[in-house]
Every structure is written in structure tokens, then in C-alpha cells.
Amino acid sequence: MPQSIRDEILAVLLDRQPNYLSGEELSHKVGVSRAAIWKHMEELRAGGYEIEAKPRSGYRLVYRPDRVAPEEIYSHLQTKRFGREIQYQNHTPSTQIIAHQWAKEDAPEGAVVIADEQGDGKGRLGRVWHSPPRTGIWMSLILRPPIALQSASHLTILTSVGIKRGIERVTGLDIQIKWPNDLLIVGKKVCGVLTEIRGEQDCIHYAIIGIGMNVNTKKQDFPKEILDIATSLTIELGGDIHRATLIAAVLEELEECYERYLQEGFQTIQQEWESSAYKMNQMITVRTPQGNHTGILKGLYDTGALKLQVDQGTIAIYSAEIDIEKY
Ligand code: BTN
């Protein structure tokens, strides 16, 4: 991870929050002179950080701006590979496009593209993903999984489990997972996953896992037509979330799920998914290109397909939409 002096100072200040840290201790911990510390403090302040300096007490971090720039994320992140390389964009059409380009070049596994705003955010099935500035998490993770193409749906499923855990850890909210790619809070969509694959029959060259999460999105920021089926963390919590902290938590949980999947296979991920599935053991209607099916949701097959119990027995659904009930 490219850990700059600024990142290190920030990490030490965060660790000591809400207490003071003397200039001497800071300079000792980071390994630069006190004059250099002072210069970096000025830069941090110019970047929106509020740092109190008190004679005989030292420095104290009072306020961090809600930025998703790499140095903010690095100061929270405890992963081996995920998020160790980040490309940050203030504004981009879509983080998916940049991630594809980077993956075709030399991006290592776990590299992440993050934007503060997307002008042409992509949803599943060619839909538009609304990505207003500085309100959400719009990011794409690059994976190089040693699995066959027909197991690709496992990646969306383990991503949903990792995101669920990350959100729950930071917010305490209860998240449900709706097959194949949505995360819900009390039946409203808070996050979507878009998995794009480049590969051949028996190998995946790379996968781009696009994650779009409504974090500090206010009601008035949503297009009217999705207001009754979409929500954000701030709407549900009644307060804003520090996005970099949440990104770090999500990346940590994703890395744990991905490594567990590669080492142990799909089974424990599947169990975790089923224990949080929206409408598990309830009647649902799925819309497929071949027509609708109504039945009881019984979980997943080990291929990642949805298991639906209908009058004739149990059937596997590979591609479909489950409608969210409107409240
Ligand atoms: C869906 O629910 O349809 C999936 C939405 C995925 C949106 C994310 S935002 C980051 C990444 N860049 C994009 O253009 N799309 C994905």
C-alpha cells in the first residue's frame, strides 16, 4: 500500500482520537521532523481536516471530511490484497470502464477503482445506476479467481455476503440479500452488485465486481420513480456515515469471504447467504425471459442458481428478477 507521510500522520491521529498527541511523539512515530509534521498538518487542514493544536498538549483530530480518496481509506484498511491499490476519480462516467481497462493492463487482484460521482453509472441488464456526487460508494473491484466460467455467479453471491457484513458491522442495521444482486433494508434496495466477467469456458481472465451503495443519499436525491423501492443508510439511520470507514469494512469482509470461498468452496458462503435471503421459505414470483414462475424460495443450488419449489417439484432459476413488494 502506498503509505505517504500524510497517511501515516492521519492514521496516528485517528488512532489517538479524541485525545491529544504531542508533536514530539508524532514526529517520533512517523519518523520525520517536527517542522515536517507542521507542514503536513497544514496540508491536511487545506484538505478539509480540522486539527486542533494546543500548547503543551499537542495535536488532536476534531473533524474528518467525508472523502473516499485513498489516504482516507488506507488509514482504516486492514486487508492483505483488497484495496491495497486504489485508483480514485472525482468524476468518471463509470468505475467499471476504468476497472476493465486497468484489469487488461497490469492491475493486481484486489485493486479497486472508486469515484465520488459517476455520470453514466451502469446497473444490471443495461439499466442506469444513479450515482450523485459524494453521496454513495461507487466502486469496482478487480478479481482474478481461479474458477471456471460456470461458477461466476458465486462471485456475486459472496460479494453480497461480504457487503452485508460490512454494512452491519459499521451501522448495526439488518441487511437482507435479494437474489441475484441486491441488498435490502426492510425491503428497500440500498446496494446493487454488477459482476462483469472476461473469460473462456474453463477459466476467468478477470472479473470486475461493481458495487453501488446509497450511503448518505437523501430522499430528494433519488429519482421519483425509485423512491418507494430504494433507500440509503442515512435515511434508515437518521445520520450520515463516514464513507471511507465503510469502504474499508466492506473490503475487509469481502476479502475474508473471497479467501474462504477459494480455500473451502461455496458451502459456507451459501449457508450465510441463505440465512439472510429476502423471502426465504416464502412465496415469490420470479420473472425470467421465458416467463414467470411462482413458488417457495428454498435457497440456492451449489451452482449459485436459485432453488424454487413449484407444484411440479424444485426448479433451478439461472437468470431472473424478483420484484420487491412496494410498501
Ligand atoms: C444493479 O443493482 O443493477 C447493479 C448496480 C451497480 C452499480 C455500480 S456503481 C460502481 C460500478 N460502476 C458502475 O457503473 N456500476 C457499478
Side-chain angles (χ1 to χ4, degrees), residues 13 59 61 78 107 111 126 140 161 215 219 292 297 312 319 326:
L13 287 172
Y59 297 102
L61 183 61
Q78 296 188 343
S140 301
V161 171
V215 181
K219 277 200 170 136
N292 294 356
L297 172 61
Q312 301 77 14
S319 172
K326 295 192 179 178

Side-chain angles (χ1 to χ4, degrees), residues 9 12-13 16 20-38 41 53-60:
I9 293 175
V12 175
L13 287 172
R16 189 58 64 92
Y20 287 93
L21 180 82
S22 75
E24 196 182 336
E25 192 183 345
L26 196 51
S27 115
H28 181 72
K29 277 187 186 278
V30 179
V32 296
S33 69
R34 290 183 65 175
I37 295 281
W38 182 84
M41 290 293 182
K54 198 171 169 191
R56 286 181 297 280
S57 299
Y59 297 102
R60 184 166 77 110

Side-chain angles (χ1 to χ4, degrees), residues 93-97 113 118 120-125 127-131 137-140 181-182 189 191-195 208-213:
S94 161
T95 55
Q96 294 293 99
I97 297 172
V113 181
Q118 297 186 120
D120 188 19
K122 297 180 192 318
R124 209 170 135 254
L125 305 172
R127 294 184 189 124
V128 169
W129 183 261
H130 186 62
S131 325
I137 292 175
W138 326 127
M139 73 177 182
S140 301
N181 70 324
D182 295 344
K189 179 161 172 170
C191 179
V193 177
L194 175 66
T195 305
I208 307 294
I209 313 288
I211 298 171
M213 196 189 299

Side-chain angles (χ1 to χ4, degrees), residues 156-165 168 174-185 191 193 269-280 297 300 306 322:
T156 309
I157 290 163
L158 74 86
T159 298
S160 304
V161 171
I163 297 172
K164 169 194 154 66
R165 285 176 168 205
E168 289 185 344
D174 191 24
I175 304 292
Q176 287 187 305
I177 307 176
K178 183 169 86 70
W179 189 88
N181 70 324
D182 295 344
L183 289 108
L184 313 179
I185 302 177
C191 179
V193 177
I269 297 288
Q270 176 181 350
Q271 284 161 356
E272 217 175 317
W273 188 97
E274 286 174 348
S275 68
S276 309
Y278 174 70
K279 299 273 178 193
M280 184 70 182
L297 172 61
L300 298 174
L306 195 74
I322 305 172

